[in-house]
Amino acid sequence: MKCIITIELGTNGIRVFAFDLNGRVIGSLKGYYPTFHTEPDHSEQDPEQIFITTLYVLKNLLNEHVHPKKYKCACICFSAAMHSVLAVDNNGNPLGNAITWSDNRAKKEAQELRSSPLGKKLYDATGTPIHPMSPLLKIAWLREHDPVRFRQTSKFLSIKSYIIHQLTGEYLIDYSIASATGLLNIHTIAWEPDALQYAGITADQLPTLAPIFTTAGKLRKAYQQSLGLPADTKILIGSSDGCLATLGDGVNGEGNATITIEDSGAVRIMGPTVLKDDQMRFFNYLLTEGSYVSGGPTNNGGNIFEWFTRQFGDFTNPFDIEHSMQQLIEEAAQVPVGSEGLLFLPYLLGERAPIWNANARGAYFGLNIKHEHKHFVRATIEGILYEIYSIGKSLGEQRTIKSLSVNGSFGTLPFCTQLIADMYNKPVRLRQQFHSVSFGAWLVSATEMGIYKSLEEAAQTVQLPDVYKPNPQHHAVYADYFAIFEKLSTKLFDEFEAIGNLQQKHAATETTVKMSG
């Protein structure tokens, strides 16, 4: 019996699934790694820690679920979070930590480029909004602020490219991860010369571009022996988590959209044409030639509720975060829709779509003497979902959205799914205990192996039987409060910048005092 293994390199951890050739789950395991915030706008991860965690979780999955049941691993397919940058030397050794998607250190460079004619030209060519999330801006920041590391860099990699290189020796990047760098022309499928010039690098400092079905050579012999995998195991480079979550929900063509809420979040559509937007609010990432996944991302999804839980949850076991979250959700359910007028702006990590403001900060608004702990819980959840709704509302200006699906660990909580249905006033489909990113990677593998003729045929087989219907009365309440939420998000632009500058200024002062002390 053959099986397919999918490896998802997420923001804070790794998920590994083993599927049989009918798409049934044989087994799955998770592992975690930390993100370091050494300064308010910095978010970094240790690439060696991610690689070791990958090997550890994969080996455990093989030993617990694959080898004992006599499955032969036919292929391993990767997915990963987008927008990471890792500088490596001539030998492929990391020159420091990887910079993640949530890092905002290049916000000054992004503000200047976004307001320039070159910024609009690059957005049209690459489909990547001009924002510090973009590897284009991160590399430009390294050139200006870390010139020694910049000069020592042989290649700038994504985390997925680094892991695949460690396993196989090949430097490859798939179209979807590449098109999220801000360096790929999504129309010619080649590195964009103007973007390379802006970043100050050459094309040979980037990995080789490859379609998502590409096999990245053989596993190095040491890993064949250590993992107990045959030499002919295919290593498919796969795609990005966002593109695979969309494919895994069967979303393709007009009228369909999917919402993902994990640590971050996004609302996405998929089709043969790009979204054109003068305000440069939407991304257009290439899944395969002629197939674009478009939409808007938020920095502030499940990670914000996890932050709230860690600060204000009542739990005796500090590692039982999921139990504490469930307790808070039960508390939130005691509060009327709209949290009796308490609003939350969830911008703890700045924000991307639709306001694209790296200086944005979190805030509670409308607080009065009646509000209790439970109101803050519900307002926090509603604030995260108001932001998701604001992206879908902007997307609806470009495309008609008739049906919605939802995926991701936070988005598939029944309480949250009902809130999404009420805010959008549309039915929301999903399948419980279903992981769309990993299943999307399985669909890619199954298509490459000939089980399906095309990704379109594969997507048509996806079934999402659970439906949450909207409550029109709840929608009316949310519509009233969302109007204020939307105004606050834009009216506070100057105040966001002022507090962001002060936080940066006093963080620098603290560092100076510590060093001198």
Side-chain angles (χ1 to χ4, degrees):
M1 295 183 293
K2 292 182 179 179
C3 73
I4 293 169
I5 290 177
T6 63
I7 296 179
E8 179 187 351
L9 302 164
T11 301
N12 292 318
I14 177 175
R15 282 192 182 92
V16 182
F17 278 75
F19 294 91
D20 68 17
L21 298 192
N22 293 312
R24 290 187 290 259
V25 174
I26 298 167
S28 67
L29 289 176
K30 292 182 189 177
Y32 297 93
Y33 34 77
T35 301
F36 309 110
H37 305 284
T38 54
E39 295 185 34
D41 286 322
H42 289 207
S43 297
E44 298 184 352
Q45 292 177 326
D46 181 348
E48 291 299 317
Q49 196 166 18
I50 295 174
F51 181 58
I52 291 168
T53 305
T54 301
L55 289 177
Y56 177 79
V57 178
L58 175 59
K59 187 165 185 172
N60 278 298
L61 178 94
L62 290 165
N63 288 339
E64 290 180 24
H65 299 287
V66 176
H67 296 327
K69 298 173 185 173
K70 308 298 182 187
Y71 279 99
K72 179 189 177 186
C73 178
C75 81
I76 297 174
C77 184
F78 282 86
S79 70
M82 293 174 272
H83 312 303
S84 60
V85 171
L86 174 65
V88 300
D89 65 14
N90 286 328
N91 297 315
N93 296 318
L95 297 167
N97 285 332
I99 305 173
T100 76
W101 61 267
S102 61
D103 189 287
N104 283 324
R105 72 184 68 184
K107 60 186 180 184
K108 178 174 175 289
E109 287 79 3
Q111 284 176 341
E112 292 172 355
L113 181 60
R114 185 179 173 86
S115 59
S116 72
L118 177 60
K120 178 67 167 59
K121 185 179 180 183
L122 290 179
Y123 172 71
D124 290 340
T126 66
T128 304
I130 306 300
H131 184 271
M133 71 174 185
S134 167
L136 168 74
L137 276 306
K138 292 180 169 85
I139 294 172
W141 186 94
L142 286 170
R143 185 192 63 205
E144 295 299 319
H145 300 277
D146 196 349
V148 174
R149 178 160 47 154
F150 184 82
R151 284 195 300 272
Q152 292 174 342
T153 302
S154 174
K155 286 190 182 296
F156 293 95
L157 305 177
S158 70
I159 278 292
K160 191 173 81 169
S161 294
Y162 174 72
I163 298 296
I164 289 175
H165 177 260
Q166 291 293 91
L167 292 172
T168 68
E170 300 290 336
Y171 283 120
L172 296 170
I173 186 168
D174 74 83
Y175 289 168
S176 62
I177 292 283
S179 64
T181 63
L183 290 151
L184 181 76
N185 187 313
I186 58 172
H187 309 288
T188 62
I189 315 183
W191 297 117
E192 168 57 37
D194 287 337
L196 294 173
Q197 184 177 17
Y198 173 80
I201 62 173
T202 56
D204 61 5
Q205 287 183 276
L206 297 169
T208 302
L209 290 166
I212 61 173
F213 299 110
T214 301
T215 301
K218 291 183 178 179
L219 273 177
R220 295 177 194 263
K221 282 191 176 178
Y223 298 123
Q224 292 175 27
Q225 294 168 356
S226 170
L227 297 169
L229 291 172
D232 62 350
T233 304
K234 287 184 179 178
I235 308 296
L236 291 188
I237 64 171
S239 181
S240 67
D241 54 2
C243 286
L244 290 176
T246 309
L247 177 67
D249 266 9
V251 170
N252 195 7
E254 290 293 327
N256 304 311
T258 190
I259 295 169
T260 300
I261 312 176
E262 285 279 358
D263 293 310
S264 58
V267 185
R268 303 184 187 90
I269 59 174
M270 187 160 78
T273 57
V274 301
L275 289 178
K276 294 182 179 178
D277 182 49
D278 290 337
Q279 298 179 58
M280 301 188 286
R281 293 173 297 175
F282 307 120
F283 58 72
N284 291 287
Y285 299 144
L286 197 63
L287 176 62
T288 58
E289 291 185 49
S291 180
Y292 300 92
V293 174
S294 307
T298 172
N299 283 0
N300 304 286
N303 49 6
I304 302 306
F305 190 56
E306 181 177 333
W307 163 82
F308 184 91
T309 303
R310 292 192 184 281
Q311 306 307 317
F312 307 109
D314 180 17
F315 51 92
T316 52
N317 182 349
F319 299 104
D320 192 5
I321 185 76
E322 291 183 2
H323 177 69
S324 301
M325 285 181 172
Q326 188 56 45
Q327 283 184 321
L328 289 175
I329 287 172
E330 290 171 6
E331 193 176 351
Q334 301 169 17
V335 178
V337 170
S339 304
E340 297 190 282
L342 183 62
L343 291 168
F344 173 59
L345 302 183
Y347 308 134
L348 272 63
L349 290 167
E351 190 50 292
R352 291 184 285 176
I355 61 173
W356 293 100
N357 185 349
N359 288 313
R361 293 292 187 266
Y364 289 93
F365 181 80
L367 182 63
N368 67 45
I369 199 70
K370 287 179 60 179
H371 289 131
E372 304 172 20
H373 181 271
K374 60 187 179 184
H375 291 87
F376 283 87
V377 181
R378 182 163 187 132
T380 301
I381 295 170
E382 289 179 339
I384 294 166
L385 299 181
Y386 280 138
E387 184 62 15
I388 290 288
Y389 175 64
S390 71
I391 297 170
K393 180 171 174 281
S394 302
L395 205 56
E397 297 169 8
Q398 298 266 346
R399 296 279 175 85
T400 300
I401 298 175
K402 296 178 181 176
S403 68
L404 284 168
S405 61
V406 63
N407 60 64
S409 55
F410 184 80
T412 52
L413 295 168
F415 179 76
C416 298
T417 306
Q418 186 60 55
L419 261 63
I420 293 170
D422 293 344
M423 283 186 185
Y424 276 83
N425 202 26
K426 296 180 188 298
V428 175
R429 298 179 301 123
L430 75 156
R431 191 163 83 193
Q432 298 290 352
Q433 308 301 319
F434 179 72
H435 197 264
S436 299
V437 175
S438 298
F439 193 69
W442 181 84
L443 291 175
V444 169
S445 306
T447 303
E448 194 278 338
M449 293 170 66
I451 296 173
Y452 300 113
K453 294 178 182 175
S454 66
L455 288 179
E456 290 76 16
E457 180 184 294
Q460 289 171 3
T461 65
V462 177
Q463 301 291 320
L464 302 175
D466 303 324
V467 181
Y468 286 72
K469 296 180 180 177
N471 181 319
Q473 293 177 322
H474 292 179
H475 174 71
V477 175
Y478 282 132
D480 287 342
Y481 285 126
F482 176 75
I484 300 174
F485 175 93
E486 193 172 35
K487 286 180 183 176
L488 287 171
S489 299
T490 52
K491 274 191 172 181
L492 292 174
F493 187 91
D494 291 340
E495 287 76 14
F496 285 149
E497 183 168 7
I499 195 67
N501 289 339
L502 282 178
Q503 289 172 350
Q504 195 69 40
K505 172 185 173 183
H506 291 299
T509 303
E510 276 183 28
T511 302
T512 303
V513 169
K514 286 178 182 175
M515 290 179 67
S516 61

